[in-house]
C-alpha cells in the first residue's frame, strides 16, 4: 500500500532422487545375485563323497529337488521393493527390502543348519552369497533411507 514491492513467494526446493535411484539399482543387482546363487554349490562336501558331489539350490544330492525356489521368491521381493522405491512408495519399499533381506539371511542359515541333514557338510559358495546379499540389502536400506518420511 505504500508503493513497495510484492514479496517473492518461496519456491520449495526439490529434493534430489539420487539416493533413491542408487538404492533401486543396488536392490536390483542384489536380487539378480541372489537369484544367481541358486545355481551355485550350496554345500561343501569336501572329500567325503569325492569331487563329484554337487548340490545347488535346484538339484540336491542324489537327484533330489532343492529349495532354490524359496531364494528366488525372496529375490523377486527384493526386486519388487526396488520398484516400489522407484515408484515413490519409499517407505513401503524400504520395509519390504528390510524384511526380504532378513528372510534371505534366515533362509541361508536354516538351509545350512537344517537342510544338510546328517551329511556333516559345510556351506558352499551359494549359501555364503545368499547370506552376504541379505546383509547387504539390510545395510544399504538402512544407510540410504531418509531420516524422516
Amino acid at each position: 500500500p505504500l508503493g513497495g514491492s510484492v514479496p517473492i513467494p518461496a519456491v520449495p526446493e526439490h529434493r534430489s532422487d539420487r539416493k533413491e535411484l542408487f538404492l533401486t539399482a543396488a536392490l536390483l543387482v542384489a536380487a539378480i545375485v541372489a537369484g544367481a546363487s541358486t545355481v551355485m554349490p550350496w554345500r561343501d562336501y569336501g572329500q567325503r563323497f569325492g569331487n563329484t558331489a554337487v548340490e545347488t539350490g535346484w538339484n540336491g544330492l542324489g537327484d533330489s529337488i532343492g529349495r532354490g525356489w524359496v531364494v528366488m521368491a525372496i529375490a523377486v521381493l527384493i526386486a519388487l521393493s526396488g520398484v516400489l522405491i522407484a515408484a515413490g512408495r519409499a517407505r513401503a519399499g524400504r520395509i519390504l527390502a528390510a524384511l526380504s533381506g532378513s528372510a534371505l539371511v534366515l533362509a541361508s542359515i536354516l538351509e545350512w543348519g537344517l537342510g544338510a541333514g546328517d551329511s556333516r557338510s559345510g556351506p558352499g559358495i551359494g549359501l555364503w552369497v545368499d547370506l552376504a546379499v541379505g546383509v547387504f540389502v539390510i545395510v544399504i536400506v538402512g544407510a540410504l533411507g531418509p531420516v524422516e518420511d
Side-chain angles (χ1 to χ4, degrees):
L2 299 175
S5 61
V6 178
I8 299 173
V11 178
E13 187 176 325
H14 181 66
R15 212 180 89 199
S16 174
D17 293 334
R18 228 177 305 159
K19 284 172 48 173
E20 284 85 3
L21 289 175
F22 182 74
L23 182 58
T24 300
L27 290 174
L28 178 61
V29 169
I32 291 170
V33 171
S37 73
T38 60
V39 295
M40 297 176 184
W42 274 23
R43 305 239 182 277
D44 182 13
Y45 289 104
Q47 297 298 318
R48 182 172 179 182
F49 296 111
N51 290 333
T52 59
V54 175
E55 181 177 356
T56 66
W58 298 110
N59 300 323
L61 193 63
D63 293 330
S64 64
I65 297 174
R67 288 174 288 280
W69 59 272
V70 174
V71 173
M72 288 301 289
I74 294 171
V76 168
L77 290 176
I78 291 172
L80 179 64
S81 66
V83 170
L84 285 172
I85 291 170
R89 305 278 316 239
R91 182 177 174 89
R94 286 193 325 271
I95 290 172
L96 182 61
L99 290 175
S100 300
S102 300
L104 192 59
V105 169
L106 186 63
S108 65
I109 291 171
L110 288 176
E111 179 65 28
W112 175 16
L114 301 177
D118 61 352
S119 68
R120 307 264 194 267
S121 62
I125 188 69
L127 291 180
W128 282 114
V129 167
D130 284 340
L131 183 68
V133 167
V135 170
F136 171 77
V137 167
I138 294 168
V139 168
I140 198 80
V141 166
L144 293 180
V147 176
E148 74 282 339
D149 249 339

